[in-house]
Amino acid sequence: DADVTQTPRNRITKTGKRIMLECSQTKGHDRMYWYRQDPGLGLRLIYYSFDVKDINKGEISDGYSVSRQAQAKFSLSLESAIPNQTALYFCATCGSEQFFGPGTRLTVL
Amino acid sequence: AQSVTQPDIHITVSEGASLELRCNYSYGATPYLFWYVQSPGQGLQLLLKYFSGDTLVQGIKGFEAEFKRSQSSFNLRKPSVHWSDAAEYFCAVKGGGADGLTFGKGTHLIIQP
């Protein structure tokens, strides 16, 4: 089984809808991260969490929120999706290095 | 704040030829440096990492990278590329804190037959 899983893998939604992307890990790591990837821009950090009670904003947190339900689960929410949030979203955990999930491709129409 | 520059957006190399992908970073202290590869439609796979010690780092799939502090560089090399190496390559840096990685914009590697 994969160490870091993301659901859904693909999602198409409409402007204004609330969307939640979920991430689970079996690595036992305390640190978890959400990134978005846009063509030609690389990956940019949205939010990160050191543990269940410690949530921090990253470089591009506006329009996003997160929830750390347990050590193993870290969810990313778009409260009111907009088209420029169309991107590939990656969850990662961190021990001595970062381990990435397979990504969620989100399209906002 | 740290930053990473990958000067080459696209690189085309013939199969069997050598490869060097450039990466320059900006960070005040000794950084942690990484190279990741992303195949089409796939997630990111770690090729290699540098934390300290020997400045020449060996990775998976025959890749290596050399940390040069004087040049603020961490270039990725492979002596002979294979068609399966065609992918997007990302250099990343991590500072002393635990606030995630800063990525370059990536280099798209094309392999010619």
Side-chain angles (χ1 to χ4, degrees), chain A residues 12-19 79-86 107-109:
Chain A
I12 300 174
T13 190
K14 295 182 179 180
T15 297
K17 294 292 187 180
R18 183 177 187 275
I19 294 296
E79 297 300 326
S80 180
I82 56 176
N84 76 0
Q85 291 177 313
T86 293
T107 302
V108 183
L109 301 176

Side-chain angles (χ1 to χ4, degrees), chain A residues 33 35 37 45 96-98, chain B residues 36 38 46 49 51 98 101:
Chain A
Y33 305 79
Y35 295 88
Q37 182 183 19
L45 183 64
S96 60
E97 63 188 66
Q98 290 208 356
Chain B
Y36 285 87
Q38 183 181 31
L46 180 68
K49 61 188 177 185
F51 288 173
L101 297 176

Side-chain angles (χ1 to χ4, degrees), chain A residues 58-88:
Chain A
E59 178 186 353
I60 53 165
S61 59
D62 287 349
Y64 301 95
S65 62
V66 291
S67 173
R68 185 80 184 269
Q69 302 94 326
Q71 185 201 40
K73 296 184 181 297
F74 192 35
S75 300
L76 177 71
S77 293
L78 287 67
E79 297 300 326
S80 180
I82 56 176
N84 76 0
Q85 291 177 313
T86 293
L88 187 56

Side-chain angles (χ1 to χ4, degrees), chain A residues 45-63:
Chain A
L45 183 64
I46 305 172
Y47 269 95
Y48 59 102
S49 169
F50 292 166
D51 62 37
V52 174
K53 298 180 180 179
D54 191 347
I55 305 290
N56 302 277
K57 293 182 177 181
E59 178 186 353
I60 53 165
S61 59
D62 287 349

Side-chain angles (χ1 to χ4, degrees), chain B residues 30 50-57 67 69:
Chain B
T30 300
Y50 172 78
F51 288 173
S52 64
D54 192 345
T55 57
L56 184 63
V57 180
F67 170 60
R69 184 189 301 276

Side-chain angles (χ1 to χ4, degrees), chain B residues 18-68:
Chain B
S18 64
L19 170 70
E20 182 170 30
L21 302 183
R22 295 183 291 165
C23 172
N24 293 98
Y25 68 90
S26 173
Y27 181 66
T30 300
Y32 296 165
L33 294 160
F34 306 81
W35 274 100
Y36 285 87
V37 61
Q38 183 181 31
S39 298
Q42 302 298 312
L44 279 80
Q45 182 181 23
L46 180 68
L47 287 175
L48 46 77
K49 61 188 177 185
Y50 172 78
F51 288 173
S52 64
D54 192 345
T55 57
L56 184 63
V57 180
Q58 301 298 318
I60 62 171
K61 304 185 178 185
F63 286 93
E64 66 177 25
E66 186 171 12
F67 170 60
K68 293 185 177 180

